[in-house]
Amino acid sequence: MQRILAIAGLTWKAALRFKLFLVIAVLLFAAVVGLPLLIQDDGTARGFTQIILTYTLSAITALLGLSTLWLACGTLARDIEECQMQVVVTKPIARWQIWLGKWLGIVSLNAVLLAFSGACVYGLLQWRAGKLPAAEQQILHEQVLVARGVAKEKDFSADINAEAKQVLQERLKSNPVTTADLPEVEKQIREQVKAQLQVVPGGYSSRPWQIDLGFAKNYLRDQPLQLRVKFNSANKSSSGTYVLAWQVGDPNSQKIWQSQPMSLAPDTVHEFQIPPNLFDTNGVLTIMVANPNDTALLFPLEDGMEVLYPEGGFALNFVRGVAIIFCWMALLAALGLAAASCLSFPVAAFFSLAMLVVILSSGTLADAVESGTVVGGNEETGVMGHSAADAVLIPLFKGILSVTRLVENFSPIDSLSTGRAITWGELGLAFGQIVLLIGGFFALAGIGLFHRRELAAAQGMQ
């Protein structure tokens, strides 16, 4: 361990010698302080958090991510290219200790920078919060500067797939389709089945939601809850809003709360508070929405109806969110070092950035996988095209997505800006998937490549 720490110390000295630490610290401070000053919020709690939390934490993540890749690629590749590594390996130290020492130095450097910038964001957040109007301060402390758990309706994926499969089999008996068109037909049937669970027809039709609060019911007595709703509409109303009426409570008891008609805009997240103790003895909260409009409204299964409940304080939640960002930085350090273990500095940097672009392009890959082809469809006929490359690229995209989703499943910035709880379990899962699993893979690959690399050959190529 002493040898690993010695290499980590040398990595720190290199970062300080090239003024990297000071430059990144200044840029982080400028992002934390400058963005809120340059971009004025609208005076609301939501606009306030959008500037302070979302923009500043995103800027911090981007700056640290790029600097981590640059330092990880440069600290190892340049040492090899400048023949400094050839001197180090003559000492009684294994190559895996050199690699881990480099990684530990970069990670510890990120830890200090992330702690500094995180403390600045938290302090600025508390200071600016005191300047908001009293009503907005109350919203801020009830909906944002908290850690709220989320309860949703049960997952209907298995039911949707089973019903879609049954409908498909019945349709194929009367209307056979070609093998090429089968995936598209199956997708359309699945969307039709899914729409039946999402759509609330007009004309005072209603749709019930049964949301199980689980273990949280044991400590939510006398605690107010919030409903977070979002819906879409195929048609646009003249006023731009739709009137909805809500009923929440146990249908088998007298604990029923009915709202006044609310005028809500589509494609927008709405939050409003409901009285406490409306769930039944099993912790199930029943929600009914009446749609008196002529237009049917669609509440997405993923985030159309959510119940938010208090689960903890904001300070500890903020620390857990920053810790997940730290896990991302540890992964990028492993990626950069793995690339530099067998490539020159420019090529390693290019490769690392290319991998980062692939991760950021997961939405495009997901669209291709969902449509089953990398060729776009015909907008006039609505028929998807097909290519011979689909047989290779679609399985490859699926494999890439299965890996990138292990990282993208965690969104601490979004959770913090909306007041959602980041649990210790989520932090542990993030550490296991991002650092141990994916980061460990890059570490083993990097150590193996570095161990087999002929440093004398690298010296001779200069």
Side-chain angles (χ1 to χ4, degrees):
M1 192 63 192
Q2 184 178 3
R3 298 169 183 174
I4 295 176
L5 292 177
I7 298 296
L10 292 175
T11 305
W12 265 81
K13 290 180 180 179
L16 294 174
R17 184 170 65 253
F18 292 112
K19 303 294 190 296
L20 177 67
F21 182 89
L22 295 177
V23 170
I24 297 301
V26 171
L27 289 176
L28 290 174
F29 183 77
V32 171
V33 177
L35 279 177
L37 295 178
L38 294 175
I39 307 175
Q40 295 296 324
D41 59 80
D42 56 3
T44 64
R46 188 173 299 277
F48 169 79
T49 54
Q50 187 76 13
I51 300 296
I52 299 295
L53 284 176
T54 305
Y55 292 164
T56 55
L57 287 180
S58 297
I60 289 169
T61 303
L63 286 172
L64 280 181
L66 292 175
S67 64
T68 298
L69 284 178
W70 186 89
L71 181 60
C73 293
T75 188
L76 186 58
R78 287 187 180 277
D79 282 355
I80 296 174
E81 294 169 1
E82 296 173 1
C83 303
Q84 297 178 12
M85 187 58 64
Q86 287 82 332
V87 178
V88 175
V89 295
T90 61
K91 307 296 181 181
I93 182 172
R95 292 197 183 188
W96 67 268
Q97 293 175 322
I98 298 174
W99 201 99
L100 287 182
K102 293 283 188 181
W103 179 82
L104 183 61
I106 297 170
V107 167
S108 59
L109 181 67
N110 274 327
V112 173
L113 291 172
L114 196 56
F116 165 74
S117 55
C120 291
V121 171
Y122 186 82
L124 183 63
L125 182 68
Q126 299 295 331
W127 176 64
R128 289 283 300 272
K131 296 187 175 183
L132 290 175
E136 293 298 330
Q137 286 191 39
Q138 182 179 358
I139 295 176
L140 188 68
H141 289 284
E142 290 180 353
Q143 299 183 8
V144 180
L145 299 185
V146 291
R148 297 182 296 177
V150 181
K152 301 180 182 180
E153 205 171 23
K154 72 171 187 176
D155 188 2
F156 289 102
S157 298
D159 299 333
I160 293 173
N161 292 332
E163 186 174 350
K165 185 177 180 180
Q166 181 180 355
V167 173
L168 177 63
Q169 292 175 349
E170 294 176 355
R171 181 174 297 183
L172 291 177
K173 294 178 181 179
S174 57
N175 299 304
V177 297
T178 63
T179 304
D181 294 333
L182 185 60
E184 183 65 22
V185 174
E186 186 175 5
K187 177 185 174 182
Q188 292 176 358
I189 293 176
R190 190 180 187 279
E191 291 300 321
Q192 291 172 1
V193 174
K194 186 177 179 181
Q196 297 176 2
L197 297 173
Q198 298 181 118
V199 173
V200 179
Y204 286 94
S205 297
S206 61
R207 195 273 206 201
W209 279 264
Q210 299 281 339
I211 297 181
D212 189 355
L213 298 176
F215 179 78
K217 69 178 187 297
N218 297 319
Y219 60 85
L220 290 181
R221 292 291 175 184
D222 302 325
Q223 294 286 338
L225 309 177
Q226 287 87 31
L227 291 187
R228 189 177 190 270
V229 300
K230 179 182 178 182
F231 63 90
N232 311 112
S233 173
N235 302 321
K236 186 176 181 180
S237 67
S238 57
S239 62
T241 60
Y242 294 90
V243 176
L244 293 172
W246 304 86
Q247 177 180 297
V248 185
D250 184 2
N252 300 320
S253 70
Q254 300 298 322
K255 296 187 297 182
I256 298 291
W257 173 78
Q258 292 182 332
S259 72
Q260 296 294 326
M262 297 182 181
S263 182
L264 304 177
D267 306 316
T268 305
V269 174
H270 302 278
E271 287 188 17
F272 55 91
Q273 187 168 298
I274 61 175
N277 306 326
L278 294 178
F279 49 87
D280 61 20
T281 55
N282 296 319
V284 176
L285 187 66
T286 302
I287 304 169
M288 295 281 293
V289 56
N291 179 16
N293 308 280
D294 296 330
T295 303
L297 303 178
L298 186 145
F299 290 79
L301 293 179
E302 296 78 14
D303 57 356
M305 182 68 65
E306 297 176 331
V307 178
L308 306 177
Y309 54 87
E311 196 171 73
F314 176 75
L316 196 56
N317 201 48
F318 183 80
V319 170
R320 289 192 290 262
V322 172
I324 292 180
I325 298 177
F326 175 73
C327 291
W328 293 346
M329 299 303 110
L331 172 59
L332 292 178
L335 171 61
L337 285 173
S341 298
C342 60
L343 301 172
S344 63
F345 173 59
V347 180
F350 177 80
F351 173 81
S352 301
L353 289 175
M355 293 288 291
L356 189 60
V357 169
V358 170
I359 295 175
L360 297 176
S361 302
S362 59
T364 303
L365 301 183
D367 292 339
V369 170
E370 184 178 358
S371 61
T373 178
V374 296
V375 181
N378 190 315
E379 297 182 359
E380 297 180 357
T381 63
V383 178
M384 297 301 299
H386 294 281
S387 170
D390 293 342
V392 177
L393 293 179
I394 296 303
L396 176 62
F397 289 172
K398 289 182 179 179
I400 294 174
L401 285 174
S402 62
V403 176
T404 57
R405 282 170 180 166
L406 294 176
V407 179
E408 292 182 334
N409 284 340
F410 308 96
S411 54
I413 298 176
D414 180 64
S415 296
L416 290 174
S417 62
T418 55
R420 298 189 181 214
I422 301 171
T423 64
W424 289 111
E426 291 178 4
L427 177 56
L429 187 61
F431 181 80
Q433 292 182 182
I434 299 174
V435 180
L436 297 183
L437 182 60
I438 306 179
F441 169 79
F442 283 117
L444 291 176
I447 291 173
L449 292 170
F450 183 54
H451 181 75
R452 296 178 62 87
R453 186 168 184 178
E454 297 183 9
L455 300 180
Q459 180 181 359
M461 294 173 62
Q462 297 296 323

